[in-house]
Amino acid sequence: MFSALRFVFVFLLLLTASRSLADNLKITPPEEVGYSSEKLMALKDMLDPYIEGGKLPNYLLSIFHEDKKIFEIMNGTTDFEFKKPIRNDDIFWIASMAKPITSLAALQLVERGELDLNDPIDKYLPYFSNPLVAVDGNMASELKPANNKILVKNLLTHTSGLTYGSTIAKENDVSNLYDDINPMSPFRTLSDTVSLISELPLIAEPNTEFNYSVGVLVLGLIIEDITGMRLGDYLEANIFKPLGMKDTAFDIEASKHDRVAALFQAKRVTVQVPGENLSYEPSPLTEWCKNKKMADHGGEGLCSTAADYHKFIQLLMNKGELNGTRILSEEYTNLMLTNQMPAEAGEAPLTNFFGPVAKNLQFSYGVGISLDKETQLPRYYWWAGAANTFFWFDTKTRLNGVFMTHHFPVLYNIIDQLYEVTEQSKL
């Protein structure tokens, strides 16, 4: 049994070797870094039923130890004709996995003295000077002037009082207003979108509650105002190019369009049509990665590959340095690896937005922190995107994983299960 599994694993490595070597990633059998090939194959047993059961059209899971790829599996197809097998260099919309990248960009400016975490954002965006609060998103009662200013660090920690529309946030009067303005619209400038957001009431007093929000989108405009550069140009010059993230951008160049996976969504019509797939249909956002947009959305706009995103993860695990290139100092990188939630948000702040499932979660600047239930110490760091993509990394074992698929919206929260399998795969 073991030899057969070993053969499958080696075959998978050989299958992906040419692309991986081009990314300067060493391919190493997991046994060489203390993990079992046989036990890691349980990840395939866990994930394949999502394809076979029509829950996901495809998946790619890449597991790394430091700079070494030790395991990679994939299944499914990336076109609407279901004929194009998924490849490990396919490009996906990573949505909110853009947030840690934009957060790091902001911390670069903080380190250079061009931005301060305690700056009120109306220093850069005057139209946020006098926000009003609709408590619990209820517009029926009187709106109250906010007691606190929205600070830069509140945008990073989702404690600004901003929110999302009802497809992501709880449905209430304020989230419905967000739906009306559609902050993700590619047909407005970033300045125009943020100006519209500023006209909406806050859902909570700044610095008191975690409410997942468009705050990082707003932060992107501040970065643009300080640097005088479009956000994508700044990220390319200061993060992507230095790290060799050659396939990460807000819009992917035409020569790479054949590698952009189609974006699926759950089928709305259930009447069976002979010859048609019963589970999926094209998402209206399927051209997102290919189209040039009027604005770069730092909170949810980026597209990337598993190999590229691993480089960003490795940067964080290396405290801001990769392959001799320092992107951010150790001091400021540590801020992204440390809980930054204000005491006012409570002991389990993320439950306010995500419910009881988030009891053992904290949040830094751009990155979620999963805590051990007993010790309340970090188990791993992570975040996810709206098309069911996610990543995690463990600073103790130096193991990290990138999961790519292309199915909108989020339906399957399986990060913890995959993390547990990798933990149980130690020799």
Side-chain angles (χ1 to χ4, degrees), residues 116-130:
D116 193 295
L117 291 169
N118 291 305
D119 277 344
I121 67 171
D122 61 4
K123 175 180 176 179
Y124 308 96
L125 308 172
Y127 37 73
F128 280 100
S129 295
N130 299 295

Side-chain angles (χ1 to χ4, degrees), residues 163-172 174-180:
T163 187
Y164 265 118
S166 61
T167 56
I168 298 174
K170 301 171 186 174
E171 184 170 5
N172 52 49
V174 173
S175 65
N176 287 334
L177 291 174
Y178 274 78
D179 287 335
D180 291 341

Side-chain angles (χ1 to χ4, degrees), residues 48-59 76-77 79-80 82 262-269 276-283 405-408 411-412:
D48 280 351
Y50 282 87
I51 307 299
E52 296 157 1
K55 295 179 179 180
L56 289 175
N58 50 58
Y59 75 79
T77 55
D79 64 335
F80 297 127
F82 299 91
L263 182 60
F264 295 78
Q265 67 182 18
K267 202 158 196 175
R268 304 251 194 301
V269 179
E276 285 194 6
N277 182 274
L278 302 181
S279 301
Y280 318 113
E281 63 186 10
S283 166
T405 187
H406 236 188
H407 188 286
F408 179 78
L411 291 174
Y412 309 112

Side-chain angles (χ1 to χ4, degrees), residues 390-411:
F390 56 82
F391 71 92
W392 81 89
F393 62 93
D394 185 335
T395 56
K396 302 181 297 297
T397 64
R398 311 299 292 175
L399 208 70
N400 63 89
V402 182
F403 182 87
M404 293 295 199
T405 187
H406 236 188
H407 188 286
F408 179 78
V410 172
L411 291 174

